[in-house]
Amino acid sequence: MKASSEISMPDTGRTDGANGVEGANGVDDDMDDTHGMNGTDTAESADDMDDATVMYVQSSVSGAAKILVVGPMGVGKTTLIGTVSEIKPLSTEATMSRAGARLDTPVRPTKSTTTVALDFGRITLGGELVLYLFGTPGQQRFLPAWKDLARGALGALALVDTRDLEASFDAIGHLEDLDVPFSVAVNSFPDSVLHSEDDLRSALDLLPHTPLVICDAREHRSSVKALISLVSHLIESVTEAT
């Protein structure tokens, strides 16, 4: 099982990227088989369902891993999963309410939705390794969902926004409490504050061996590199332990 920058991406009929805001496209649920009153099958045939492409895992795949994508609200988790997913991603976005605003950390006025359960996507690396990506809710009140999502996870990619580093402390702390190995990806925004790697490591209190990369969650290649950095770290950790 090896990590590679070559990624198999069959045509799904969608475009890469998520316009820089959290909120990937939802899943098409109009696939129920129905039968008429006279016993004849009235369901559409697979050939007629152009918008219901099914993408199976490649036969060359020899391994799979569950990966969490974590971070505070508005950091770009939904965007990153939507950018890299080779299948139509699942997103549980909901409009932010006034009631929720009283409980959650204030976010920028341009953000009107938030993940309330999870995001899900899938990516194949090098034709051999499948990553199942689970995006966690960013709010503190959804911590119980974190514990459930973390079960069976091989590792996590923690997204960070330099405009509000303090907001990332809880997410990284939760990963440490749950004993989930992780790497850190600093998501670049147009008005992001630039810091040196040493300053970022010091501010986030990262161990020397924890990978730290810069990425743009809207860009496919950049996001894939962040995931490869995590997978390489996990492989190295396993190798050193054996």
Side-chain angles (χ1 to χ4, degrees):
M1 193 167 63
K2 62 181 180 180
S4 168
S5 58
E6 296 179 0
I7 175 171
S8 173
M9 291 289 291
D11 185 9
T12 63
R14 72 173 184 85
T15 57
D16 289 329
N19 300 326
V21 295
E22 291 202 42
N25 294 332
V27 174
D28 189 351
D29 293 325
D30 299 328
M31 296 178 60
D32 293 335
D33 290 336
T34 57
H35 297 273
M37 294 296 291
N38 59 2
T40 59
D41 190 349
T42 60
E44 297 181 10
S45 67
D47 293 336
D48 295 331
M49 299 178 68
D50 295 335
D51 61 343
T53 302
V54 177
M55 292 180 56
Y56 297 99
V57 174
Q58 301 173 47
S59 59
S60 60
V61 168
S62 58
K66 177 181 181 181
I67 299 295
L68 300 182
V69 180
V70 309
M73 187 164 53
V75 77
K77 302 180 295 295
T78 303
T79 298
L80 184 141
I81 292 175
T83 296
V84 303
S85 182
E86 63 195 12
I87 60 174
K88 197 169 186 179
L90 167 67
S91 179
T92 56
E93 290 279 288
T95 302
M96 297 174 64
S97 64
R98 292 183 179 179
R102 292 195 294 267
L103 299 173
D104 301 328
T105 303
V107 295
R108 287 163 179 78
T110 54
K111 183 169 177 57
S112 60
T113 62
T114 184
T115 299
V116 294
L118 60 87
D119 296 310
F120 176 77
R122 190 189 79 199
I123 180 173
T124 305
L125 298 179
E128 299 179 0
L129 175 65
V130 166
L131 302 183
Y132 295 102
L133 307 175
F134 290 78
T136 62
Q139 299 95 316
Q140 181 73 13
R141 56 194 168 102
F142 289 122
L143 179 57
W146 273 59
K147 296 178 180 178
D148 291 332
L149 288 173
R151 292 175 183 171
L154 187 65
L157 181 67
L159 288 181
V160 168
D161 182 353
T162 59
R163 299 172 300 178
D164 188 5
L165 280 177
E166 188 175 350
S168 300
F169 294 168
D170 285 341
I172 293 176
H174 294 333
L175 291 176
E176 293 174 342
D177 292 342
L178 294 169
D179 198 25
V180 176
F182 65 93
S183 66
V184 175
V186 178
N187 191 14
S188 297
F189 292 87
D191 57 342
S192 291
V193 180
L194 298 178
H195 298 281
S196 68
E197 179 176 342
D198 289 341
D199 287 344
L200 285 172
R201 286 187 173 278
S202 177
L204 296 171
D205 194 24
L206 300 180
L207 295 174
H209 65 270
T210 302
L212 176 65
V213 299
I214 307 296
C215 79
D216 186 334
R218 300 167 300 176
E219 295 183 0
H220 181 268
R221 183 179 297 273
S222 177
S223 298
V224 170
K225 285 184 176 180
L227 289 170
I228 290 176
S229 175
L230 168 62
V231 172
S232 298
H233 171 58
L234 296 175
I235 292 175
E236 290 173 2
S237 299
V238 171
T239 302
E240 292 174 356
T242 58

